[in-house]
Amino acid sequence: LEFRRVLFRSVTIEIIKATGMDCLYIPRQYLSIDRLFGEDPGSSFSKSYTIEMYLANYKGFDGTDIITQFGIEIKDKVTLILARKRFTEEVTSDDSTITRPREGDLIYFPLSKSLFEINFVEHENPMYPLGKLYSYQIVAELFTYSYETIQTNNTTVNDVMNTTRGLSGSTVIPLNNVLGTT
């Protein structure tokens, strides 16, 4: 039975590597959490880890675009599959406090050159092949900047915060982050 589990885990990793893409997992570092509102206005992102993920949305991004009195709001969502063992090898081995993908952390998606914030991590699927779980299902939404400091070891991620180009390549709202909005 243990041989089958190792084989199934290895096949899961190989399928994600073959059909997925290299994304960057960027953990959030909290400085002082406001207990009333449940947020940390001074949080930062200083590390990034390259992990292969499989894009489960076969039609592109889910979500909606909403036009409000403040302009257009893009609510693109993405669903990604991540192998548990690869997460442990890349992230947990470097930072033992991060045992699974966390809500609030970021994922850099290279195809659209955009950052997504993790909203939900399905870490207990009802399907347990051979009595174990071998992957996480991550639901993430396009990240909205708000006073966070993004200074990782990857210049591509750092440059995303300073760009004025949208997903379609057109110029959008400037991201000078003076007011904490984009």
Side-chain angles (χ1 to χ4, degrees), residues 107-136:
I107 294 175
Y108 176 74
F109 195 70
L111 287 180
S112 64
K113 296 184 175 106
S114 52
L115 289 170
F116 286 85
E117 183 175 9
I118 298 174
N119 289 345
F120 180 70
V121 179
E122 180 62 66
H123 57 282
E124 292 193 16
N125 283 333
M127 173 89 166
Y128 285 84
L130 301 175
K132 287 198 149 216
L133 288 173
Y134 300 97
S135 63
Y136 296 108

Side-chain angles (χ1 to χ4, degrees), residues 36-84:
L36 181 62
F37 295 110
E39 60 184 18
D40 182 9
S43 64
S44 64
F45 302 94
S46 62
K47 290 184 179 180
S48 66
Y49 303 94
T50 303
I51 304 176
E52 55 280 344
M53 297 182 191
Y54 173 74
L55 179 63
N57 305 48
Y58 63 92
K59 290 184 180 178
F61 299 133
D62 289 336
T64 58
D65 297 341
I66 302 168
I67 298 176
T68 66
Q69 64 189 11
F70 303 109
I72 189 164
E73 186 176 350
I74 301 171
K75 293 219 173 234
D76 285 339
K77 286 187 178 181
V78 67
T79 304
L80 300 163
I81 307 294
L82 168 65
R84 286 174 175 255

Side-chain angles (χ1 to χ4, degrees), residues 140-151:
E141 189 173 86
L142 199 59
F143 179 59
T144 304
Y145 298 98
S146 177
Y147 296 110
E148 292 90 351
T149 303
I150 299 177
Q151 193 61 42

